[in-house]
Amino acid sequence: MLLVSPACRGVYLQTIDPNPVDFSARGSYASCFQIPPSVSQRECLMRFGTVFCFNQKHREQTSFKKRHVSTQNVDLPPILPKNKKKPYPIPFKQIQEEARKDKKLAQMGIEKQLDPPKNGLLVPNLIPVAYQVIDNWKLLIKGLAQLLHVVPVFACSECGAVHVSNAGHNIRDCNGPTNSQRRGSHSWVKGTINDVLIPVESYHMYDPFGRRIKHETRFDYERIPALVELCIQAGVEIPEYPCRRRTQPIRMMGKRVIDRGGYLREPDKPQTSSISSPLAELDTLGACERYPPPSPEDIPKIAQETMDAYEKVRLGVTKLMRKFTVKACGYCSEVHVGPWGHSVKLCGEFKHQWRDGKHGWQDALVDEVFPPNYVWHVRDLKGNPLTGNLRRFYGKAPALVEICMHSGARVPQRYKAMMRLDIIVPDSQEADMVA
């Protein structure tokens, strides 16, 4: 018998006599030799007896976890140019390949296999996640509105820049319409809660798989926060904003819906005042007026609760967007929660004339539904303003994380590398001597 591995060509082998012999009487019971590369395995079987390969080490099947090595510093988030389309989250070749498969199945008359929630049914294990996101979203708005009475926030009236400090910074990176007249300097005004939590709204639809929203019928649908609309479609019940709950899945063949269970009219909404409406707690409008300033001893506790709520909201939105379809325009900031985008012609960004104002829909990212809004990290609110010649030593962090940090909350580990906490910012005269 011969045992030879295909990778053992030209290695040392052993031959053992087939008959049992007293090997202790023989000085060496085996003879070692080398098979030349020209000899095949079949020739080895014909020439030699039992052959074993002993040069390869035994590979142990060990399972181990790869240790996560935290980086010391990471690059700042890139600023996408406005004269180009956003990159696709999914490679375009993969999108084309899936479209070809769906088209081939449709030509063969085979229905497309859809899993919840793609077929209109709810996912039971995601309903608690949606309720948790809503509860933490309310806590996030309340905590941030209270902290804004304590921590000073400035916003540029010309662009979307935000700065958390006692005064605005001196970095000339304004990209507003009149930035050339100010030589890139910002025009700072007092910031609001909408400058920290950027409002991203979406059309509320009773049936996401129903008729598409046309440009002429856009005023028949209300605009609510996209995060709230995502939770409503995931199973959250709000009487003022009902959503159709299907018991039978929809059927599709290619891109065409062949059975959606008919069209249903949206039920009448209950009449409630704007103050007592449940959406008032879910909207950032007027939040600073609704919640009074906190007492000094409660500020660290509120800051930590707000930080934890921010992380839970982001984690919950990430879980929901793995299953539910959310579309975003590749040119502007418009977001639509549903299997396909609407047909409203309100896109005014790059080459909108070629598209007749229609949006270029693609799969949305978490940062487009729940924007982090990065700001420059300031170590001392009462220190000197940041300068442009030292900007390579500064770090960045989400605006809410920066506010909670200055209020006494612990910074999560994943933000520390971008904030560059281990870098000592030199003086302006020492910056030229730094390599």
Side-chain angles (χ1 to χ4, degrees):
M1 178 180 180
L2 177 65
L3 299 178
V4 181
S5 173
C8 296
R9 300 288 301 276
V11 298
Y12 287 97
L13 305 175
Q14 287 184 345
T15 60
I16 303 177
D17 296 337
N19 299 326
V21 184
D22 184 10
F23 295 112
S24 60
R26 304 170 62 180
S28 175
Y29 70 90
S31 61
C32 296
F33 57 92
Q34 187 176 14
I35 299 178
S38 58
V39 180
S40 63
Q41 294 183 14
R42 185 175 180 181
E43 294 175 346
C44 292
L45 287 169
M46 298 173 61
R47 296 183 185 182
F48 313 108
T50 306
V51 183
F52 298 93
C53 175
F54 65 92
N55 77 312
Q56 291 188 351
K57 296 181 179 179
H58 176 64
R59 296 180 180 178
E60 298 180 357
Q61 299 294 334
T62 57
S63 60
F64 59 91
K65 279 188 177 181
K66 187 176 181 180
R67 190 180 64 176
H68 175 71
V69 180
S70 60
T71 56
Q72 184 179 9
N73 297 305
V74 297
D75 295 334
L76 302 180
I79 300 177
L80 299 178
K82 292 186 177 182
N83 59 349
K84 291 183 180 180
K85 193 176 186 292
K86 301 175 187 177
Y88 286 96
I90 302 175
F92 191 68
K93 290 186 177 180
Q94 183 178 349
I95 298 176
Q96 289 180 323
E97 184 178 354
E98 293 178 357
R100 293 192 195 101
K101 291 180 181 179
D102 294 343
K103 183 178 180 180
K104 187 175 181 180
L105 292 176
Q107 292 174 351
M108 298 170 59
I110 302 176
E111 294 185 13
K112 187 177 180 180
Q113 298 294 330
L114 298 174
D115 298 328
K118 306 293 184 182
N119 58 1
L121 302 180
L122 294 178
V123 183
N125 58 349
L126 289 181
I127 297 178
V129 177
Y131 274 99
Q132 185 181 9
V133 171
I134 286 291
D135 295 338
N136 286 280
W137 175 249
K138 296 178 182 178
L139 183 61
L140 176 61
I141 294 176
K142 179 181 178 181
L144 179 59
Q146 290 178 315
L147 294 179
L148 287 178
H149 293 290
V150 181
V151 181
V153 176
F154 288 88
C156 181
S157 60
E158 299 291 335
C159 65
V162 179
H163 189 60
V164 182
S165 182
N166 287 340
H169 61 71
N170 297 329
I171 301 176
R172 302 191 176 191
D173 56 353
C174 181
N175 54 3
T178 60
N179 62 341
S180 58
Q181 301 176 5
R182 293 173 281 106
R183 296 183 179 180
S185 300
H186 292 280
S187 178
W188 297 112
V189 295
K190 184 178 180 180
T192 62
I193 189 173
N194 285 338
D195 296 319
V196 180
L197 291 179
I198 301 177
V200 179
E201 294 184 343
S202 174
Y203 288 104
H204 170 66
M205 299 186 65
Y206 172 69
D207 185 6
F209 293 88
R211 293 184 177 91
R212 286 195 181 187
I213 303 176
K214 298 182 180 180
H215 186 76
E216 296 77 14
T217 62
R218 65 186 184 275
F219 296 111
D220 298 337
Y221 302 89
E222 293 191 33
R223 299 273 293 182
I224 63 175
L227 184 145
V228 178
E229 176 66 15
L230 177 62
C231 294
I232 291 175
Q233 295 189 15
V236 174
E237 298 292 345
I238 299 179
E240 287 77 10
Y241 297 97
C243 187
R244 183 178 179 179
R245 307 302 183 192
R246 282 183 166 82
T247 57
Q248 297 295 329
I250 67 169
R251 298 164 57 195
M252 293 185 64
M253 185 175 294
K255 295 183 178 180
R256 184 168 56 92
V257 180
I258 59 178
D259 183 13
R260 58 167 50 92
Y263 296 101
L264 298 181
R265 192 177 70 88
E266 183 176 355
D268 297 333
K269 302 177 183 179
Q271 298 294 333
T272 57
S273 61
S274 59
I275 300 177
S276 61
S277 174
L279 192 60
E281 300 178 358
L282 301 173
D283 197 0
T284 57
L285 181 63
C288 294
E289 289 76 16
R290 292 197 306 266
Y291 302 106
S295 57
E297 57 271 10
D298 294 338
I299 292 178
K301 179 182 177 182
I302 295 175
Q304 189 61 47
E305 291 177 352
T306 306
M307 180 79 77
D308 296 340
Y310 177 80
E311 291 297 308
K312 291 178 182 178
V313 168
R314 189 168 186 84
L315 179 61
V317 171
T318 304
K319 291 181 180 179
L320 294 177
M321 290 185 62
R322 290 173 184 169
K323 292 291 185 179
F324 290 86
T325 304
V326 182
K327 297 295 182 178
C329 180
Y331 301 93
C332 66
S333 59
E334 179 68 13
V335 171
H336 183 74
V337 183
W340 40 73
H342 56 73
S343 301
V344 180
K345 303 176 183 180
L346 290 179
C347 184
E349 295 298 330
F350 179 63
K351 293 184 178 180
H352 64 92
Q353 302 91 345
W354 295 9
R355 294 174 277 111
D356 193 21
K358 293 183 179 180
H359 296 282
W361 297 113
Q362 62 187 35
D363 291 332
L365 298 174
V366 178
D367 289 346
E368 294 174 318
V369 179
F370 190 52
N373 194 11
Y374 290 98
V375 299
W376 292 106
H377 169 58
V378 178
R379 306 192 181 188
D380 186 8
L381 294 178
K382 299 180 180 180
N384 297 327
L386 305 184
T387 57
N389 57 344
L390 298 177
R391 61 183 300 173
R392 62 191 177 114
F393 301 101
Y394 302 141
K396 279 190 175 184
L400 189 134
V401 175
E402 185 76 7
I403 293 174
C404 294
M405 186 205 69
H406 288 295
S407 301
R410 297 186 303 272
V411 180
Q413 187 65 31
R414 63 193 190 96
Y415 297 116
K416 293 183 179 180
M418 187 178 294
M419 295 172 71
R420 300 180 178 178
L421 300 176
D422 58 337
I423 293 180
I424 300 177
V425 181
D427 295 335
S428 57
Q429 298 177 356
E430 298 175 348
D432 298 335
M433 297 184 292
V434 178

